[in-house]
Amino acid sequence: MAPPGMPRMAVADPYPWYAWLRENAPAHPVRGRWLVSRAHDVRALLADHERLSSDLTIGGTRVATLPLGPEAGASNLLNADPPVHARLRAGVPLPTARVAALRPQVQQLADLLIDRFARSGRVELVEEFAARLPFQVICEVLGVAAELRTDLKRAVDSAARHGHGETGQRAHLHLGALVRRQLTGHTAPPGTLLASLAQARAAGRIDAAEELGQAVVILSAGHETTVHLLGNAMAALLTHPDQCARLREAPHLIDTAVEELLRFDGPVWAAPLRVARQDISIGRMTIPAGDVVTLLLGSANRDPQAFHHPDTLELTRAPNPHVAFGRGIHYCLGAQLARLEATVAITTLLRRLPRLRLACRTEELRWQRHPVVRGLAALPLRFTPTH
């Protein structure tokens, strides 16, 4: 499934299409929803829960769904408004210090994964690295039992691959059943997010359905977006060899580099759906109350009104007010964790794999057709074998 209204040929490179929308139709109606593309409007509406609701029901009728399956529940962080959102978010604390303490473990995981292919001189990075590192990290953060992880990985991959159709629904149901098995049959270690959710349920702050929905959303959304953050970032670096060489020579630039890679080709092309609470005027168009709204993060991050030379990858760009993680109360819960994983993964890959390069032509890279996520189906690479 492609994003609504996106021409088929634009899946590999949607940025010219975004530019046309910003210039000609900053609020564009297509297939029952409105696409909002300019940075000013996207930034304002991301933080405006007075005009936009994340609760996808109008008058008790569900007007849209998130691509996360029925087990995500009707009330989770992605589609809850205040005060429900604050109550749900309080059940999954993820402070900066706790994320920072994970760095040695993330580094060890990255090195172990690279050890598996370092001697071969080639790797399909999405399957062999980018899809594995975030899954193991999110399982550690959640506190998923070791014996469930293999089955969960298959279920997460299947749900991501099959999307909204009948097969996708079955995959999401299976994923939900596995998460329920974790919640009912295993006690998560203290300090993990599942332990925090269990405490919140025991205290009556959330119910069992919300506990399950939160766990499914964190596992699914947090894992898949970081997979494609790593894949997209490495593809961007390797197709901009001057910037890649600069980062190799000056690894201390990694913090600004990660922010720029998030802006330049982030893993989420649009924010979770919203519904207009009232009429919203954008340019010469009015979005009627009750209509579904899609905020185009990828377009906002390439808007020349917000960024100098937005189509140029500049790893030292600062300031960098991108919206890859959203904005406002729905700012991504796992943003710091994703930054940590990207920092460790990118620096380790560049340090350990000499002469790292694409094993295909840029135009041969295959991009997934997905309603929300932007990511590569595969990223074949070559490098000088190491021991």
Side-chain angles (χ1 to χ4, degrees):
M1 181 185 297
M6 178 182 284
R8 177 174 290 272
M9 70 288 294
V11 171
D13 181 12
Y15 297 104
W17 179 62
Y18 290 154
W20 184 90
L21 287 175
R22 289 192 303 268
E23 184 68 24
N24 298 283
H28 182 53
V30 58
R31 298 184 197 170
R33 68 184 64 174
W34 291 79
L35 307 181
V36 177
S37 53
R38 289 181 181 171
H40 173 78
D41 299 318
V42 170
R43 287 183 60 83
L45 289 172
L46 279 170
D48 190 344
H49 58 264
E50 296 298 324
R51 288 190 294 169
L52 284 184
S53 170
S54 294
D55 183 346
L56 302 179
T57 59
I58 294 291
T61 301
R62 199 161 188 79
V63 298
T65 59
L66 296 173
L68 291 169
E71 294 290 6
S75 191
N76 59 63
L77 284 175
L78 296 183
N79 64 359
D81 289 328
V84 174
H85 181 274
R87 174 174 60 80
L88 294 177
R89 188 141 186 162
V92 281
L94 196 59
T96 300
R98 183 171 166 194
V99 172
L102 292 168
R103 180 179 287 269
Q105 194 168 7
V106 176
Q107 182 66 64
Q108 182 182 35
L109 285 168
D111 281 318
L112 286 173
L113 289 171
I114 293 173
D115 287 344
R116 296 180 178 182
F117 56 78
R119 296 186 181 189
S120 69
R122 62 175 59 213
V123 63
E124 196 290 276
L125 197 75
V126 173
E127 171 60 28
E128 297 184 52
F129 184 85
R132 300 186 182 190
L133 178 69
F135 181 76
Q136 291 298 329
V137 172
I138 200 65
C139 282
E140 289 297 318
V141 171
L142 281 165
V144 174
E147 58 265 36
L148 289 179
R149 293 187 185 186
T150 299
D151 287 343
L152 265 179
K153 180 65 166 64
R154 292 196 191 100
V156 166
D157 290 345
S158 179
R161 184 168 58 252
H162 294 296
H164 261 317
E166 183 178 340
T167 303
Q169 288 289 348
R170 288 198 300 270
H172 280 107
L173 285 169
H174 178 55
L175 173 60
L178 289 173
V179 174
R180 188 185 294 107
R181 188 188 307 173
Q182 161 70 46
L183 295 176
T184 58
H186 300 270
T187 301
T192 63
L193 291 188
L194 290 181
S196 296
L197 284 171
Q199 291 169 2
R201 178 175 52 80
R205 295 192 297 272
I206 62 174
D207 60 30
E210 290 169 336
E211 180 187 26
L212 176 62
Q214 294 291 83
V216 170
V217 166
I218 293 168
L219 179 65
S220 300
H223 162 255
E224 188 176 10
T225 53
T226 309
V227 170
H228 297 305
L229 166 57
L230 301 184
N232 294 8
M234 291 306 300
L237 286 171
L238 296 174
T239 53
H240 294 78
D242 58 329
Q243 294 293 295
C244 189
R246 186 176 188 185
L247 186 56
R248 278 187 184 275
E249 295 164 4
H252 65 276
L253 298 177
I254 187 61
D255 289 342
T256 57
V258 167
E259 298 307 310
E260 175 67 349
L261 291 163
L262 281 160
R263 181 200 70 82
F264 185 76
D265 202 7
V268 181
W269 75 272
L273 299 176
R274 264 84 161 171
V275 176
R277 293 180 183 270
Q278 57 188 258
D279 290 355
I280 301 172
S281 296
I282 296 178
R284 291 174 295 178
M285 303 296 289
T286 297
I287 300 173
D291 279 13
V292 178
V293 179
T294 295
L295 303 176
L296 297 176
L297 306 181
S299 177
N301 285 338
R302 292 285 193 101
D303 190 338
Q305 297 300 314
F307 300 95
H308 185 62
H309 297 312
D311 295 321
T312 300
L313 182 68
E314 298 178 1
L315 298 187
T316 56
R317 186 185 298 270
N320 195 340
H322 66 77
V323 289
F325 291 124
R327 187 166 179 261
I329 65 170
H330 288 283
Y331 186 79
C332 177
L333 172 71
Q336 293 307 316
L337 182 62
R339 286 185 171 107
L340 171 63
E341 293 177 68
T343 296
V344 171
I346 293 168
T347 54
T348 307
L349 288 165
L350 295 182
R351 173 173 54 82
R352 291 198 53 187
L353 304 179
R355 296 191 65 240
L356 186 62
R357 60 199 184 278
L358 289 178
C360 66
R361 292 177 298 179
T362 302
E363 57 269 25
E364 293 176 330
L365 292 173
R366 293 181 296 112
W367 293 86
Q368 296 183 2
R369 297 179 65 83
H370 191 284
V372 175
V373 174
R374 172 164 170 78
L376 288 160
L379 182 59
L381 304 179
R382 291 187 178 182
F383 52 90
T384 302
T386 61
H387 296 287

